[in-house]
Amino acid sequence: MNAISQLLHQRSIGEITFRMAHDGPSRLRESGSAKLRIPKASRHAILINTGGGIAGGDQFRYDISTSSNARLSLTTQAAERVYRTLGPHAVVDTNLQLDAESELFWLPQETILFNHAALQRNYTVSLAANDRFLAVEPVMLGRKEMGEDVRQITLNDRWRIHRDGRLIHADNLSFDGEPNHSNSGLGSARAFATLLYVADNAAQYLDAVRAAIGPVGGASAWNGKLVARLVAQDGFHLRKRLIPALCAIIGVENLPKPWTF
């Protein structure tokens, strides 16, 4: 590939800086194909990628924060599609910062990885001692109903969560090559998700989350956090498990509307 052909490749770049105060949004800055919409008097914000998907070389950055005693729930307008790359990774950097006595729910809808997709996501979260933080990241390997067969993907998810300046959670999830469909990997599953809840009362939700997940995953709670992973045959069945698990923690009334469509 010569220098001229490289210049002809279009790349999407998007950035959002958003801050939620206790009485409503206090700052919003958008650039590129990343947009954020929040209904009037709502605590639910919707992230929108006007580029229609993500491809290799695209770059997105989200800087989201809450002030003291603020509440914020974020989701996406629809499932995010990650298309094949011609070489470089797509990179998504998410930085979440909570002031004291606030809560933030990071609840994007599914990320769909198509064949030869390459995606690197970095999550940095900063919490105070008495904050409440919930995150979920569901992933689908193609769309089963469309007969899409994913044989080559690259996915790197890197989580670093600090509480009062101390690292309390570090997680690296990585796929590179053909998905592992052995009994020790995904098996016959084409969808999977990680759910993470950090709060002083995290352990009290463990039994309810395990009941919602059933035999397709597992959950543990320790030191003020709850972590669950689950798999499913497709996105529909994954969502059937995820929605009850999320509602067990935050209640049906706090589930973002796009999750119920």
Side-chain angles (χ1 to χ4, degrees):
M1 183 180 296
N2 58 43
I4 295 177
S5 63
Q6 287 182 331
L7 291 173
L8 295 177
H9 293 155
Q10 294 184 349
R11 304 299 188 200
S12 289
I13 298 176
E15 294 187 13
I16 289 177
T17 300
F18 179 69
R19 183 168 179 83
M20 174 66 82
H22 73 279
D23 56 352
S26 62
R27 183 186 183 193
L28 172 60
R29 179 183 178 275
E30 306 169 323
S31 68
S33 58
K35 309 297 179 185
L36 184 145
R37 296 294 178 264
I38 182 166
K40 186 176 180 180
S42 174
R43 302 291 175 175
H44 296 269
I46 300 176
L47 298 168
I48 302 170
N49 175 10
T50 59
I54 296 177
D58 292 354
Q59 297 182 25
F60 288 83
R61 181 181 178 91
Y62 304 109
D63 292 302
I64 311 294
S65 62
T66 62
S67 64
S68 297
N69 299 296
R71 298 172 58 243
L72 175 63
S73 175
L74 293 113
T75 189
T76 52
Q77 181 185 33
E80 185 64 275
R81 293 162 173 79
V82 184
Y83 300 106
R84 68 174 299 156
T85 179
L86 297 178
H89 288 62
V91 178
V92 181
D93 292 318
T94 301
N95 301 298
L96 308 174
Q97 183 169 354
L98 285 69
D99 283 352
E101 298 183 8
S102 62
E103 67 179 29
L104 189 149
F105 303 150
W106 176 259
L107 307 174
Q109 297 190 72
E110 297 86 355
T111 296
I112 305 175
L113 300 175
F114 293 103
N115 205 26
H116 294 283
L119 175 64
Q120 179 176 330
R121 299 188 293 195
N122 305 301
Y123 303 88
T124 303
V125 185
S126 178
L127 309 173
N130 50 2
D131 288 335
R132 189 181 182 210
F133 174 69
L134 174 67
V136 67
E137 278 293 354
V139 176
M140 295 167 51
L141 304 180
R143 296 168 296 184
K144 182 179 178 180
E145 66 276 10
M146 300 296 290
E148 294 163 350
D149 189 14
V150 176
R151 295 185 175 275
Q152 170 71 38
I153 59 168
T154 300
L155 172 65
N156 295 304
D157 274 355
R158 182 182 185 272
W159 283 87
R160 295 295 183 268
I161 299 178
H162 294 79
R163 200 173 193 187
D164 278 349
R166 182 173 63 89
L167 181 66
I168 64 166
H169 185 78
D171 185 19
N172 284 37
L173 175 65
S174 180
F175 292 83
D176 190 6
E178 185 173 356
N180 184 352
H181 289 294
S182 69
N183 290 334
S184 62
L186 292 174
S188 61
R190 299 172 59 97
F192 58 93
T194 298
L195 182 154
L196 171 67
Y197 178 58
V198 179
D200 290 337
N201 63 349
Q204 79 179 52
Y205 297 100
L206 181 59
D207 290 342
V209 170
R210 284 176 171 171
I213 292 174
V216 296
S220 298
W222 71 102
N223 295 337
K225 65 180 179 180
L226 185 155
V227 180
R229 283 199 168 98
L230 58 156
V231 298
Q233 64 193 70
D234 53 34
F236 173 77
H237 289 88
L238 181 69
R239 185 172 283 222
K240 284 183 66 175
R241 297 291 186 178
L242 269 181
I243 289 177
L246 294 171
C247 290
I249 298 174
I250 63 175
V252 177
E253 68 279 2
N254 289 317
L255 191 69
K257 287 266 193 300
W259 273 84
T260 63
F261 294 159

